[in-house]
Amino acid sequence: MSGELRCDSLWYGADIVTMQEGKYSIIPNGAIAVRQDRIVWIGPWKDAKHIRADIHNKLDGGIVTPGFVDCHTHLVFGGDRSHEFEQRLNGVSYSEIAAQGGGIISTVTATRKASLDELVASASWRLERLLAEGVTTVEIKSGYGLDQESELRMLKAIRQLAKIHPVQIRSTCLAAHATPPEFKSDPDGWITLICEQLLPQVAREKLADAVDAFCEHLAFSPAQVTRVFEAAQRLGMPVKLHAEQLSSLGGSSLAAKFNALSADHLEYATEADVAAMAASGTVAVLLPGAFYLLREKQVPPVALFRQYKVPMALASDANPGTSPALSLRLMLNMGCTLFGMTPEEALAGATLHGARALGLADTQGSLETGKYADFVHWPLKRPAELVYWLGGQLPCQVIFRGEAIR
């Protein structure tokens, strides 16, 4: 038949929420044709008569969305800090907990003690919780080893996770997360080690896709971050930054200067920061889980991001200390209720803009011809329901690279 399109599978019977250009862009009663791992056609079911598929998959109503992209997580670490959470709620201060060997140092100690297999096993449990809610792409950072051997082991664990789970994983080196105990009186010495030894080895062994740092008064200064970013730049590695979470240091403007993929947190970002991000195409990654757990009051400048057309992503920030979040969908609700985002903005934040924050918008984050066939079928009437329902795991069917995985 003239004009036939051959494909491996055809999915139809639901409304398709494409998220093209960050909007719902719904195709009522749509269809998706998949060849190998890519979408080769998408449109209304009534226009699919020319498609010849080896397998037909009829969906029972509901909606189809792009697979979720969790663009900021710390899923690999040793131990947990639930006991510290309980201590804080019983009136013990963070400084007292730190003096007892708690805080980030307790996670560093547990992570250094953990073997590669132990790190993979514990992270797998956390990762599986995210995958069950429709995540098909996730970023995972190092940053709890804080010595060369342990940081490399964390990055190797991240690469191993990608081999055993049906998900695309982007690995980020966050060695400039905190000052190691051994460098307490010489934080610049740790920065030198990162720049001259660790990052070159990471690049040689292809253990990371990007480099991150924490620019904050309790972490590293803009000058120290600049050294890390210059080293990453020399190695051809893109950068990201934890910026303006607790104070205004101009970190997001610094990130923009280096054409960073994203600046993350951003509660204290100024209009100048937002303008710089807009000019560089740097994505604003908002992390309501940490905002919620830390009981913060200063919200990110969402109105300014809208005004300057800075894409806003949402992520779980899953980590043992400030955001032990295992549900990206819950973060969508928090983005709306705590930060004033709309449901459409929130869903774009966990799909297209999340992909942009990882440099992957050309291949995922929306349902379009040529992109990976990563999508999720939900038995829901409207996309806003994904944001509306609090808690509970909504039933869903996840398709990763054209294959149903759950």
Side-chain angles (χ1 to χ4, degrees), residues 49-188:
K49 295 180 176 60
H50 65 296
I51 296 177
R52 298 293 175 265
D54 295 336
I55 300 173
H56 286 246
N57 298 281
K58 188 176 187 308
L59 305 170
D60 187 20
I63 61 173
V64 169
T65 68
F68 286 170
V69 179
D70 196 345
C71 65
H72 181 129
T73 84
H74 305 253
L75 287 171
V76 172
F77 57 84
D80 80 89
R81 287 170 33 205
S82 57
H83 58 294
E84 294 179 16
F85 175 69
E86 189 169 22
Q87 282 182 293
R88 288 199 303 272
L89 292 176
N90 278 295
V92 183
S93 72
Y94 186 84
S95 59
E96 290 174 306
I97 291 171
Q100 298 166 8
I104 191 172
I105 297 304
S106 69
T107 299
V108 171
T109 300
T111 301
R112 288 180 176 182
K113 290 179 180 178
S115 68
L116 176 64
D117 288 345
E118 289 169 335
L119 289 175
V120 171
S122 62
S124 287
W125 183 87
R126 294 184 280 270
L127 177 60
E128 286 164 1
R129 309 284 82 75
L130 294 174
L131 301 188
E133 285 202 329
V135 170
T136 56
T137 301
V138 63
E139 183 256 21
I140 307 177
K141 305 176 191 294
S142 67
Y144 289 117
L146 300 187
D147 63 34
Q148 190 163 353
E149 178 185 352
S150 301
E151 286 292 305
L152 291 170
R153 186 164 62 252
M154 288 187 72
L155 293 170
K156 289 174 182 176
I158 295 168
R159 290 299 195 213
Q160 185 63 27
L161 287 166
K163 295 177 181 177
I164 60 178
H165 294 279
V167 61
Q168 178 164 354
I169 296 179
R170 300 294 276 183
S171 172
T172 298
C173 181
L174 179 59
H177 190 195
T179 301
E182 299 85 353
F183 287 84
K184 185 175 182 180
S185 59
D186 184 24
D188 283 323

Side-chain angles (χ1 to χ4, degrees), residues 265-323:
H265 286 291
L266 302 174
E267 281 88 334
Y268 287 85
T270 66
E271 184 167 0
D273 293 324
V274 175
M277 291 173 64
S280 66
T282 298
V283 175
V285 177
L286 308 185
L287 305 170
F291 176 91
Y292 168 80
L293 202 78
L294 293 174
R295 301 180 181 180
E296 294 292 339
K297 303 298 182 185
Q298 175 96 7
V299 299
V302 167
L304 285 175
F305 293 137
R306 288 184 186 130
Q307 179 184 335
Y308 283 86
K309 296 181 170 52
V310 174
M312 292 181 286
L314 280 169
S316 69
D317 191 19
N319 74 72
T322 61
S323 185

Side-chain angles (χ1 to χ4, degrees), residues 13-14 25-26 36 53 80 132 157 172 186 196 203 218 256 277 281 288 390:
S25 301
I26 298 173
Q36 294 180 344
D80 80 89
T172 298
D186 184 24
E196 297 182 0
L218 50 68
M277 291 173 64
L390 277 176

